[in-house]
Amino acid sequence: MIILGIETSCDETAAAVVTDERKILSNEVLSQIEEHKPYGGVVPEIAARAHLNTIDTIISRAMKTAGVEFFQLDAICATGGPGLIGGVLVGVMTAKAIAAVCDIPFIGVNHLEGHALTVRLTGDEAGKQIEFPYLLLLVSGGHCQLLIVEGSGCYKRLGTTIDDALGEAFDKTAKMMGLGYPGGPMVEQHALTGDPVRFDMPRPLKGRSGCDFSFSGLKTKVRQTIESLPDGPIKEQDKSDICASFQNAAGDVLIDRCENAIDTFLSAYPNSTYLVVSGGVAANQSILGRLKTLCKTRGLSFAAPPLALCTDNAAMIAWAGIERFKKGDVDDLAFRPRPRWPLDPDAPKVTGAGIKA
Ligand code: KG4
Ligand code: ZN
């Protein structure tokens, strides 16, 4: 089975060809970083236009690299949401057009499901496929959730953010100090030479029951800390110390919330073994290290996709499409792109400013 996947939900235009035997034949990602840089964040209108300008080229490149012709495809999938609707529309309409011309099924993939199932494509350290169920920490620019992944399309949400996503907090922290965009990698880099205990940062919800997250207080404290510094440009060491203190506090919160989630997960599935982390923030080596240590102490195995597949890409969309296609779960051409699309539709609604799905 050969599937073409398309991803256009944020600031990466991506196309990939993947097989049901877990082979990535091509994985093309074109980042729009340069277009959004002057604004310090993603501008939806600019993103949609950039997707439109480049999607044909990226798809052609993915097909050429894979050595696959359109008539050889078994299905085509595109991110159908959640995300910036202008971009999602571009990907979905393009995929539908190819599906119609080639007379193959179209699958509108949930972007979060892409992140959630990537480890089943990439496998554990030995390359072996990770079986359901597993505990998933999904940390990206728009989402911060703990879920039990019971199967493709079967998710139990244990917790979510009640305000900002962690990636968003990383990005805002970077923006406040003028570190550049995207912020996560810049904060991580500065934190390497910083003092993680110099500034006293809050650990919202730490020590409380449940698995929800909150990062807006931490973000506010970063702003207050910057304002408390002497007037003038922020010194490099101060920037590094703020980044390290922020990252340390965010890590503490993640570990605390994961501890609670592990308890819930193991009481439901005592013989299960995996904690998986996915989404853009999973590229952060300090956070990965702490999660690995947590797994060791709790007797769990740890898995994360390789760095390039943590941030947005189309291989994960193609793979999530394959998992659905195998179950006969395809969409028709009347599929409507969805700006919001929770993975677990039964999860209680959380009211908060930053909820994206
Ligand atoms: O999954 P992703 O590519 O897009 C979304 O679906 O949101 O995640 C992007 C987010 C951004 O907020 C970015 O700053 C963050 O992931 N990120 C990181 C790192 N690399 C990317 N955050 C912390 N440390 C990193 N190394
Ligand atoms: Zn993403």
Side-chain angles (χ1 to χ4, degrees):
M1 191 188 293
I2 304 176
I3 293 210
L4 170 65
I6 297 173
E7 157 61 34
T8 55
S9 69
C10 193
D11 58 346
E12 266 100 19
T13 313
V17 180
V18 177
T19 76
D20 61 335
E21 288 172 334
R22 298 170 53 218
K23 291 233 156 39
I24 301 175
L25 301 182
S26 63
N27 185 28
E28 298 289 330
V29 183
L30 183 71
S31 169
Q32 303 173 355
I33 285 179
E34 290 308 318
E35 272 112 315
H36 300 291
K37 224 176 209 165
Y39 307 95
V42 181
V43 182
E45 180 66 23
I46 293 175
R49 285 174 194 277
H51 287 306
L52 201 55
N53 286 341
T54 53
I55 189 148
D56 292 353
T57 315
I58 292 299
I59 291 174
S60 304
R61 228 189 265 168
M63 295 296 286
K64 198 168 166 218
T65 307
V68 168
E69 301 292 339
F70 281 102
F71 71 83
Q72 292 175 288
L73 295 174
D74 292 285
I76 175 156
C77 22
T79 298
L84 300 174
I85 198 65
V88 176
L89 266 166
V90 171
V92 166
M93 295 311 287
T94 307
K96 282 181 182 178
I98 296 171
V101 171
C102 300
D103 196 20
I104 52 174
F106 162 78
I107 304 166
V109 169
N110 185 317
H111 179 87
L112 302 177
E113 182 154 51
H115 280 304
L117 301 180
T118 315
V119 277
R120 291 198 17 100
L121 166 64
T122 55
D124 64 11
E125 274 173 3
K128 194 168 156 275
Q129 188 169 47
I130 288 165
E131 301 292 336
F132 299 121
Y134 51 85
L135 179 63
L136 174 74
L137 171 66
L138 176 57
V139 268
S140 70
H143 307 277
C144 191
Q145 304 187 347
L146 275 157
L147 300 142
I148 298 177
V149 183
E150 294 177 330
S152 145
C154 301
Y155 301 90
K156 284 222 165 68
R157 195 165 88 184
L158 304 181
T160 187
T161 177
I162 57 171
D163 40 54
D164 298 338
L166 183 53
E168 198 179 340
F170 265 96
D171 291 337
K172 297 261 169 68
T173 295
K175 193 173 177 183
M176 283 186 263
M177 288 183 281
L179 300 186
Y181 163 84
M186 305 308 290
V187 171
E188 178 176 19
Q189 202 184 320
H190 278 77
L192 289 175
T193 50
D195 175 357
V197 294
R198 174 172 162 203
F199 295 108
D200 186 21
M201 297 283 168
R203 271 97 174 135
L205 300 181
K206 185 170 177 244
R208 303 252 197 104
S209 61
C211 305
D212 282 339
F213 301 89
S214 166
F215 292 108
S216 73
L218 182 52
K219 199 180 66 187
T220 304
K221 184 66 187 191
V222 168
R223 184 173 50 75
Q224 290 167 344
T225 305
I226 294 168
E227 285 167 0
S228 73
L229 295 171
D231 287 344
I234 312 173
K235 288 193 193 122
E236 282 308 305
Q237 192 56 52
D238 290 341
K239 287 183 188 172
S240 297
D241 292 345
I242 290 172
C243 289
S245 303
F246 163 83
Q247 191 172 274
N248 189 26
D252 280 355
V253 171
L254 283 185
I255 298 301
D256 177 77
R257 309 283 81 197
C258 284
E259 288 265 19
N260 290 355
I262 291 170
D263 292 341
T264 309
F265 176 56
L266 290 181
S267 62
Y269 294 104
N271 299 320
S272 290
T273 49
Y274 268 101
L275 169 67
V276 169
V277 61
S278 186
V281 183
N284 186 295
Q285 295 304 308
S286 155
I287 286 174
L288 279 187
R290 296 191 62 177
L291 289 167
K292 279 182 191 166
T293 308
L294 171 68
C295 282
K296 256 192 204 136
T297 54
R298 296 297 304 260
L300 288 174
S301 305
F302 176 82
L307 219 62
L309 297 178
C310 281
T311 46
D312 287 351
N313 64 87
M316 70 179 192
I317 301 305
W319 177 257
I322 287 172
E323 297 243 20
R324 278 187 48 195
F325 191 46
K326 278 190 190 159
K327 298 194 325 184
D329 179 11
V330 301
D331 293 295
D332 61 32
L333 297 185
F335 176 91
R336 291 174 72 134
R338 304 165 189 180
R340 285 164 185 251
W341 188 358
L343 266 184
D344 175 0
D346 299 329
K349 277 214 167 62
V350 184
T351 49
I355 305 300
K356 302 272 167 57

